[in-house]
Amino acid sequence: MKHLIFTVLLSLFSVQAMAAGGGVHLDHTDIDITDQASLQRGAKTFVNYCLSCHQAAYMRYNRMAKDLGLTDDQVKDNLMFASDKIGDTMTIAMRPEDAKKWFGVTPPDLSVIARSRGTDWLYTYLRTFYLDSSRPVGTNNLAFKDVGMPHVLWEQQGYQTKDPETGELIAPENAPLSTHEYNQLVHDLINFLAYMSEPSKLQRMALAKWVLLYLIVFFLIAYPLKKAFWKDIH
C-alpha cells in the first residue's frame, strides 16, 4: 500500500514538473525577496523591458515603493513610465485587441506569473532564446517552443545560436554582458516577479518570528498550568 501511494505521488509530481517545464531541464535560481537591492534592480529591468507590452494590474506603484524601500519620488522619477499617479496599478496603454493583432496573442499579465509558471521556469526561459530564421520574430526558445515573444533582452545578452547536432546554445562573441552578468540580471528580474506575485509574503515572514515567540512563551506558561491542574488526578 505504501509503495502504491509513493508511486501515485511520484507520478503526479512528474506530470506537474513536465507541465511546468515542458520536458526541458530547468535551471535553478535562489529567490530571496528580502533582498531589497536585488528587487530594486529587478524592478528597473521590469519597467524598462517588460512593462511596455505586459502589465501587472494587481500591483500598485506606491505598494512597490514601500516594500522595496523607495520613496514615492524615486519611483516617479525612475520607475513610472506608464502612469502619472503613484497610487495607480502597473497597467499599459496598449489595447489587448491591438496586441493580439500585432503579436498573434495577447501578452499575459505578469502579476502572478512567478506562481503560475515557477521561478526556475522563468529563469530558464529568459536565458534560452536563440536565433531561428523560421520564426516570424527570428528567435525561438528552449523552454517555450515556437514562442511568439521576441528576445526583449537581446541588448543585454546578444543572440545565442543553437548547435544543430548537440542542441546546445552557443553564447555570442562580444556580448554586451558576460554570462554571469546576464544571469544576475535575469535573477534580479525573476526575484522581482516572485515578490510581485505574493507581496504580502514579506509581511508574513516578518510576523512569523513574533508568532513563534508567542507560541514558545505560551507553552512555557501553559505547561506548568497543565501540571498544576492535573496533579491530583491519577
Side-chain angles (χ1 to χ4, degrees):
M1 185 64 179
K2 291 182 178 179
H3 180 70
L4 177 61
I5 294 174
F6 175 78
T7 303
V8 171
L9 291 176
L10 181 61
S11 300
L12 291 174
F13 175 79
S14 300
V15 170
Q16 183 178 12
M18 291 289 286
V24 176
H25 170 75
L26 300 182
D27 297 324
H28 177 67
T29 184
D30 292 319
I31 296 302
D32 180 10
I33 63 171
T34 64
D35 185 348
Q36 284 194 340
S38 173
L39 293 179
Q40 291 172 8
R41 293 192 299 267
K44 180 180 178 181
T45 302
F46 178 79
V47 299
N48 279 284
Y49 291 96
C50 306
L51 196 56
S52 55
C53 296
H54 298 273
Q55 63 180 9
Y58 298 108
M59 173 55 65
R60 294 186 183 276
Y61 287 101
N62 55 355
R63 172 65 185 270
M64 180 181 67
K66 178 182 177 182
D67 290 341
L68 271 59
L70 301 171
T71 66
D72 289 354
D73 288 337
Q74 286 175 319
V75 172
K76 289 179 180 179
D77 294 340
N78 300 288
L79 299 176
M80 285 183 60
F81 307 128
S83 180
D84 297 323
K85 298 179 180 179
I86 192 67
D88 285 348
T89 56
M90 301 178 74
T91 54
I92 57 176
M94 183 169 59
R95 299 183 303 172
E97 54 269 28
D98 290 335
K100 189 171 184 178
K101 177 181 178 181
W102 297 333
F103 302 114
V105 63
T106 302
D109 186 295
L110 298 184
S111 300
V112 294
I113 193 68
R115 296 185 67 180
S116 63
R117 283 290 190 176
T119 54
D120 288 349
W121 188 91
L122 292 171
Y123 183 66
T124 304
Y125 170 68
L126 291 173
R127 294 164 53 252
T128 56
F129 278 92
Y130 63 92
L131 289 173
D132 185 350
S133 59
S134 67
R135 299 298 302 154
V137 295
T139 55
N140 211 327
N141 190 276
L142 290 184
F144 195 148
K145 182 176 173 56
D146 297 336
V147 64
M149 189 181 91
H151 184 21
V152 296
L153 296 175
W154 69 270
E155 292 179 316
Q156 307 299 326
Q157 186 188 31
Y159 285 112
Q160 300 181 112
T161 55
K162 183 179 180 181
D163 189 309
E165 296 182 0
T166 65
E168 296 183 354
L169 298 183
I170 303 171
E173 296 182 2
N174 302 319
L177 296 181
S178 67
T179 300
H180 174 74
E181 291 171 335
Y182 181 74
N183 288 347
Q184 184 62 49
L185 180 142
V186 173
H187 165 80
D188 292 336
L189 174 58
I190 303 306
N191 206 24
F192 176 73
L193 292 175
Y195 148 75
M196 190 165 57
S197 68
E198 198 175 2
S200 61
K201 186 175 181 179
L202 286 171
Q203 283 69 43
R204 294 205 312 272
M205 292 171 65
L207 184 62
K209 59 183 180 182
W210 297 108
V211 173
L212 293 175
L213 179 62
Y214 167 79
L215 292 175
I216 292 172
V217 173
F218 176 78
F219 174 80
L220 294 176
I221 297 173
Y223 186 70
L225 284 174
K226 175 260 182 187
K227 294 184 66 175
F229 292 154
W230 288 81
K231 66 181 180 179
D232 297 328
I233 300 177
H234 302 286

